[in-house]
Every structure is written in structure tokens, then in C-alpha cells.
Amino acid sequence: MISLTEENYLKALIYLSSLAPGIEEKKDVGTSELASYLKLKSSTVNEMLKRLKEKNLINHEKYKKITLTHSGERNGLKIVRKHRLWETFLFTKLDFDWIEIHEVAEQLEHIKSEKLVEKIDRLLGYPNFDPHGDPIPNKHGKIPQRITKTLSAVNKGEKCVVLAVSDTSRDFLNYLEDLDISIKTEIVVIDKIGYDKSIKIKIKHEQYSLSRKVADNLLVGVKLN
């Protein structure tokens, strides 16, 4: 039996190693990186890593990177799948907004019923991406793929559409809502400022200036016309 806390560690390792929007290849994760992501002390994380290793969920040696075993990856993907399906359910069926859904899904993702998860998936029409644009693993653990780039990498004069956000914090999503930016928003890059790497964009008939940090957290697909 995997505990709730252990599930949270596996989910974090899945996200950091392979499922963050824009990451195309798996990568090994360091202890300090995991501790920073979970906002925990390294000593606390090291204790949990020992438990996960004993359960054959990870491979890890002191001072070396962490990798998920087959069992660890399979269980981690199940948690990610449930989390993102719950987010989609809350957003599309219960009218929660995309700022609220993450916190509620954090609680619902630990429900064990596989039957419930499959019924939610079918009810939603087997979605590939959640309301933040993150890929939803299917019941076999396969992750949908698509090509994206950061808004900061889009050339001047190009048109693009928002496909995902790397930052799902309340502050960032609130800021995007103030700019009327959400998934599927169409954006035109009208200028790129060399001095501070900020960019000027146009949404419909409104123009805005975005910092490099904001542009780096918006993942888009470039439109050909």
C-alpha cells in the first residue's frame, strides 16, 4: 500500500522528470530539486526517499540523482492522471474556474476507486489535456504529445495560440485573467525588447507588455497564417 505522502512524492517526481509542459525527454531529478519543489527540508526528503527505495518505487544512492522504477512510474502516472481528470471534471462539469481546480484536485486525486476514474474519463470524452493545458496520461500510462514553445521564443510578427501554462499558481493565473489570457487565446507578437527581453503583444485589439518571466510561462503553438 502506498501512502498519501508517498503518492505526492511520486507525482512530484513524475512532473519534474517528464511531465512538465514543454519537456520532451525524461530527466533525472536531484534531491535538492525535489525538496525545493515540495517546499521541504532536504533531510525530510531523504528520509522519504529511503522508504520509496525500500518499496522499489525509486532508484537512488546518496549524492546521486533519483530515477523512478517501473512500479514507481506506473503509480506516479496514476496519480497525475487522476489529478488532471479531476481538474477537467471540476472545470467543465461543475463550473470551477482554472484558478480553483488545482487545490480541490489535490484532495480528490487520492481516491482509490479505479472504476470511478474510468467513469469520469468516459463522461469527459477521454480528454488529452486538462484546463491548464497539461497532458492527461491515459489508463495505460501513455502521455499525449504536442509541439509547443514558450511565448518568449516566438518571433516578432508571428501569431500563436496559448496551449498551456507552466506556472499554475493563483497569482500567475489571476494575472493572466486580468489580461484576458487563457487556453486557446490567440496572440500576436508585435515587438521584442532587447534590453530586458520583455515582449509586446496584441490580443484582439488590445496591446500589452509582458515580462520575460511571464512569456516564459506561457506555452504556445505558432499559427501558420
Side-chain angles (χ1 to χ4, degrees):
M1 180 69 71
I2 301 175
S3 71
L4 183 151
T5 302
E6 290 166 345
E7 286 183 341
N8 285 336
Y9 271 74
L10 293 177
K11 183 180 71 172
L13 286 168
I14 286 287
Y15 180 83
L16 292 171
S17 64
S18 64
L19 273 183
I23 293 178
E24 298 178 355
E25 297 181 356
K26 292 183 181 180
K27 67 185 185 72
D28 296 339
V29 181
T31 303
S32 59
E33 183 182 3
L34 179 60
S36 176
Y37 179 79
L38 294 171
K39 297 181 173 58
L40 295 171
K41 294 180 179 179
S42 292
S43 57
T44 302
V45 170
N46 277 318
E47 285 302 312
M48 177 55 71
L49 292 178
K50 291 177 184 177
R51 288 168 54 183
L52 294 174
K53 183 178 179 181
E54 289 171 0
K55 292 188 175 184
N56 193 36
L57 295 169
I58 64 166
N59 298 306
H60 180 243
E61 301 296 336
K62 194 172 183 179
Y63 305 123
K64 293 186 178 181
K65 298 289 186 177
I66 309 159
T67 57
L68 288 158
T69 63
H70 176 73
S71 176
E73 183 172 321
R74 178 169 50 83
N75 281 284
L77 285 171
K78 283 183 179 181
I79 302 302
V80 172
R81 169 173 164 77
K82 286 190 286 185
H83 180 94
R84 293 177 177 173
L85 282 173
W86 277 117
E87 285 195 333
T88 307
F89 178 79
L90 292 165
F91 184 79
T92 61
K93 300 299 183 181
L94 298 183
D95 295 325
F96 281 73
D97 66 36
W98 71 335
I99 298 173
E100 301 172 298
I101 56 177
H102 177 74
E103 186 175 336
V104 181
E106 287 276 291
Q107 302 168 51
L108 295 169
E109 69 188 24
H110 299 289
I111 294 174
K112 303 297 184 182
S113 173
E114 293 294 335
K115 183 177 180 179
L116 175 61
V117 174
E118 297 313 313
K119 282 184 174 291
I120 290 173
D121 194 19
R122 184 168 68 245
L123 176 67
L124 295 171
Y126 305 102
N128 287 321
F129 300 92
D130 72 14
H132 300 125
D134 292 324
I136 302 174
N138 68 15
K139 63 181 180 180
H140 304 296
K142 185 175 180 180
I143 303 164
Q145 300 293 324
R146 64 182 173 190
I147 298 173
T148 63
K149 63 169 63 177
T150 63
L151 181 59
S152 57
V154 175
N155 295 323
K156 178 180 176 180
E158 286 186 325
K159 298 178 181 179
C160 58
V161 60
V162 177
L163 297 177
V165 291
S166 297
D167 183 351
T168 58
S169 67
R170 182 173 293 270
D171 286 345
F172 185 63
L173 296 180
N174 272 324
Y175 178 69
L176 294 184
E177 285 203 339
D178 288 341
L179 299 176
D180 201 25
I181 294 175
S182 60
I183 302 302
K184 297 184 180 178
T185 295
E186 295 187 356
I187 294 174
V188 179
V189 175
I190 58 176
D191 202 3
K192 304 185 77 171
I193 312 304
Y195 176 69
D196 60 359
K197 307 302 180 184
S198 62
I199 65 173
K200 292 183 179 180
I201 64 169
K202 183 168 71 174
I203 301 173
K204 296 180 180 177
H205 302 295
E206 299 292 330
Q207 294 188 15
Y208 304 97
S209 291
L210 299 182
S211 69
R212 174 65 181 268
K213 182 177 181 180
V214 170
D216 280 346
N217 279 290
L218 285 169
L219 297 175
V220 302
V222 175
K223 303 188 74 174
L224 299 179
N225 50 50

